[in-house]
Amino acid sequence: MGLDHTLDETAPKHQRRIRYKGTHPKNFKEKYKELQPDQYADDVAKIIQKGNTPAGMHISICVNEILEFLQITPGQIGLDATLGYGGHTLEMLKCLNSKGRLYATDVDPIELPRTRTRLERLGYGSEILEIKHMNFSKIDQIVPESGPFNFVLADLGVSSMQIDNPERGFSFKTEGALDLRLNPKTGDSAASLLKQLTLDELETILIENADEPHARAIARAIISTIKKGFDISTTTELRNIIKDTLKSIPKISEDEIKKSCQRSFQALRIDINNEFEVLDEFLEKLPDALAPGGRVAILSFHSGEDRRVKKSFKHFFREGVYREIAPDPIRASSEECHVNSRARSAKLRWAIKA
Ligand SMILES: C[S@@+](CC[C@H](N)C(=O)[O-])C[C@H]1O[C@@H](n2cnc3c(N)ncnc32)[C@H](O)[C@@H]1O
């Protein structure tokens, strides 16, 4: 998959072994080996071989397919719009071979400095890599400094580090504050948003952002809990409300309830972070940010994202702005899906500027 799994940020300090119940750590903070891949490389490799993502790490998706399409050559100027763990960034930097310049953006103020340090330790400092804490929707603000891009990558959504860290509140599976913000330093958390929504608004969010079939029932249960004066401030509280509501539907399976929890969290995350609006803005500005012949690849993870990418690429192709676009989305290979279940829903689309 091309990601250098030895990426780690700081020289390890000696620490007493963290105590946990049973033979394997279950909580994020107890997974001290996974959180220090430099020191425990063999343990981390075993976790990856078993098809799991170690805590605090992100396994990059469709690396070979993306590099094959982008055709990066030394001296080019590129943008990784979604830095994350820096896995794709690292592979793109290797292709540049110390010549040219790579820009990278991310809105996450927690993971961004860690990734910057990891990449600096691997020898990729500001002479070749310019990391900016900003939303990719403002791509036009980078171009005056960078010049038009020869290649652009956007790997949409959230990273495994964000999902797995219970303090970020992204997952219904682990107890944590109901936050869901990519940038927790700005805007409203999901807990605060829920208090402001009407029943119809919440139902619309669940339908439009995640095609949730039980949207009305879930929205009604959430709003009535809040009206009774109860706070929904943790991931577990929200999950339990959804579970308890859906359990009363005859013949509903545990799996269906789990999927509804997953979709509801996704729908709220998309709303909290304005994910569709910023993606639309980015897609609209992209053609002007690309050099003639410039290549863009976008990895999306659900239909709401993929529809937007497909529509925009088709629109600009018809206008003659893109000379070629992906006829169909590229999917991760079955081998990759086997070792990384998060690759299963990935769809890769590309376009080439005229
Ligand atoms: C799937 S991860 C990227 C993983 C990365 N490609 C790697 O190989 O490690 C998506 C990242 O994009 C960031 N992100 C999401 N929406 C963004 C936006 N509108 N602007 C900038 N960064 C964004 C998230 O904070 C997250 O770190």
Side-chain angles (χ1 to χ4, degrees), residues 3 7 57-61 63 66 80-90 92 105-109 111-112 115 118 132-138 153-162 168 170 182-183 273-275 278-279 282 299 301:
L3 173 61
L7 286 179
M57 193 180 259
H58 178 92
I59 300 180
S60 305
I61 293 172
V63 174
I66 288 168
D80 184 347
T82 49
L83 174 72
Y85 191 73
H88 286 116
T89 312
L90 179 63
M92 293 193 268
T105 54
D106 205 298
V107 278
D108 185 339
E111 293 297 337
L112 183 146
T115 300
R118 267 197 302 273
K132 291 182 183 290
H133 178 228
M134 63 187 278
N135 201 299
F136 58 54
S137 61
K138 305 294 170 225
L153 168 69
D155 172 14
L156 302 174
V158 276
S159 66
S160 304
M161 299 90 72
Q162 292 164 327
R168 308 295 301 267
F170 281 110
L182 291 170
N183 181 355
N273 297 293
N274 296 316
E275 290 181 31
V278 294
L279 177 58
F282 173 70
L299 255 185
F301 292 86

Side-chain angles (χ1 to χ4, degrees), residues 93-219:
L93 284 164
K94 287 181 192 166
C95 295
L96 285 179
N97 198 16
S98 310
K99 291 174 209 82
R101 197 148 182 77
L102 186 61
Y103 289 78
T105 54
D106 205 298
V107 278
D108 185 339
I110 297 164
E111 293 297 337
L112 183 146
R114 294 179 182 157
T115 300
R116 175 183 276 134
T117 310
R118 267 197 302 273
L119 291 167
E120 269 170 6
R121 287 185 66 219
L122 290 169
Y124 297 106
S126 57
E127 69 297 336
I128 184 92
L129 175 64
E130 179 69 38
I131 296 178
K132 291 182 183 290
H133 178 228
M134 63 187 278
N135 201 299
F136 58 54
S137 61
K138 305 294 170 225
I139 184 174
D140 54 319
Q141 293 177 7
I142 311 175
V143 181
E145 174 188 331
S146 61
F149 296 113
N150 303 110
F151 61 93
V152 173
L153 168 69
D155 172 14
L156 302 174
V158 276
S159 66
S160 304
M161 299 90 72
Q162 292 164 327
I163 296 171
D164 294 344
N165 185 348
E167 284 166 19
R168 308 295 301 267
F170 281 110
S171 172
F172 68 94
K173 291 181 189 161
T174 42
E175 163 78 5
L178 187 62
D179 194 311
L180 289 165
R181 281 172 295 180
L182 291 170
N183 181 355
K185 295 188 176 164
T186 172
D188 284 333
S189 67
S192 152
L193 172 81
L194 287 179
K195 287 187 204 153
Q196 301 164 36
L197 293 173
T198 64
L199 175 63
D200 287 346
E201 284 167 345
L202 182 53
E203 185 188 12
T204 307
I205 287 172
L206 295 171
I207 294 171
E208 287 188 358
N209 294 359
D211 301 318
E212 172 50 46
H214 306 296
R216 189 75 183 168
I218 294 171

